[in-house]
Amino acid sequence: VFLSYSLAKVDVWVSGEASNNFKLKTVRVYCPNLEGFLFPGFYSADKINAANIYSTPIRYTLADEDTSQELLNTIYIFERMDNPTLQENQKEYEMLCLVVGGRFDEDLYTTYYRVDFKHKDDKEEDVYYPIQRNDHFLVNITKVKESGWPDEELAFYGSEKI
């Protein structure tokens, strides 16, 4: 059966300097679209609701014995076409983001870091990426400077620390 779909893929892994001082434990997807399209071939489109498949945030946890430092070919999210910049009265916490949990250096507990789907333009302003069908986002954690937030909710509402 041939299906068309409106999904983007997100891969997360740790490399470089971060592989020496950071152990990836969890990835959470905040503010994803919970509805999208799946349709056979190029004929009719049926909207499906993923809210009964998962709730937000979508949670992924690496097993304690997993030493791979990666979460690949696992995270798929529906399209989300936001404005590239925050609009008046729009908050950053309404935008799609990841909250990555891990152990920094000798920390005894997992701390959390917010990762936004954005970049800086030539004016140093934040520009959010649209999440489109067949996009593939590569989140390579190469450097972690400090412990993150003590819980994932604080990381979600806080600022990036990676």
Side-chain angles (χ1 to χ4, degrees):
V1 173
F2 176 76
L3 288 177
S4 294
Y5 50 86
S6 61
L7 295 173
K9 179 174 155 180
V10 181
D11 287 333
V12 179
W13 71 96
V14 178
S15 69
E17 190 179 311
S19 61
N20 297 322
N21 69 351
F22 185 74
K23 172 72 173 141
L24 182 65
K25 304 298 268 179
T26 66
V27 176
R28 308 290 190 242
V29 181
Y30 278 82
C31 300
N33 268 353
L34 295 179
E35 293 182 338
F37 289 97
L38 290 175
F39 49 93
F42 298 101
Y43 305 107
S44 65
D46 296 316
K47 197 167 201 178
I48 67 164
N49 185 341
N52 53 5
I53 299 170
Y54 53 74
S55 60
T56 186
I58 307 168
R59 301 174 182 279
Y60 300 92
T61 302
L62 281 75
D64 284 336
E65 60 276 1
D66 186 346
T67 59
S68 68
Q69 290 280 71
E70 59 188 26
L71 195 57
L72 305 177
N73 303 314
T74 304
I75 303 172
Y76 293 87
I77 52 179
F78 285 120
E79 287 182 306
R80 181 174 167 145
M81 303 304 288
D82 290 310
N83 287 310
T85 57
L86 290 178
Q87 303 301 298
E88 187 176 333
N89 297 324
Q90 189 176 22
K91 306 292 186 214
E92 191 168 57
Y93 60 78
E94 295 171 336
M95 304 300 286
L96 175 75
C97 72
L98 302 179
V99 171
V100 175
R103 299 249 174 98
F104 175 72
D105 269 343
E106 301 299 321
D107 285 353
L108 298 176
Y109 301 100
T110 298
T111 58
Y112 300 89
Y113 306 82
R114 180 185 174 107
V115 178
D116 289 300
F117 289 80
K118 67 181 181 182
H119 68 278
K120 298 278 187 193
D121 65 10
D122 53 0
K123 297 177 186 168
E124 289 300 308
E125 302 213 5
D126 290 336
V127 177
Y128 289 86
Y129 292 108
I131 310 302
Q132 297 176 319
R133 177 188 61 194
N134 296 331
D135 279 352
H136 185 186
F137 292 91
L138 307 171
V139 180
N140 184 3
I141 301 168
T142 59
K143 188 173 184 179
V144 180
K145 301 177 198 171
E146 62 184 344
S147 297
W149 296 93
D151 67 54
E152 60 184 82
E153 188 172 333
L154 286 173
F156 172 62
Y157 287 107
S159 61
E160 296 177 1
K161 285 193 167 196
I162 284 186

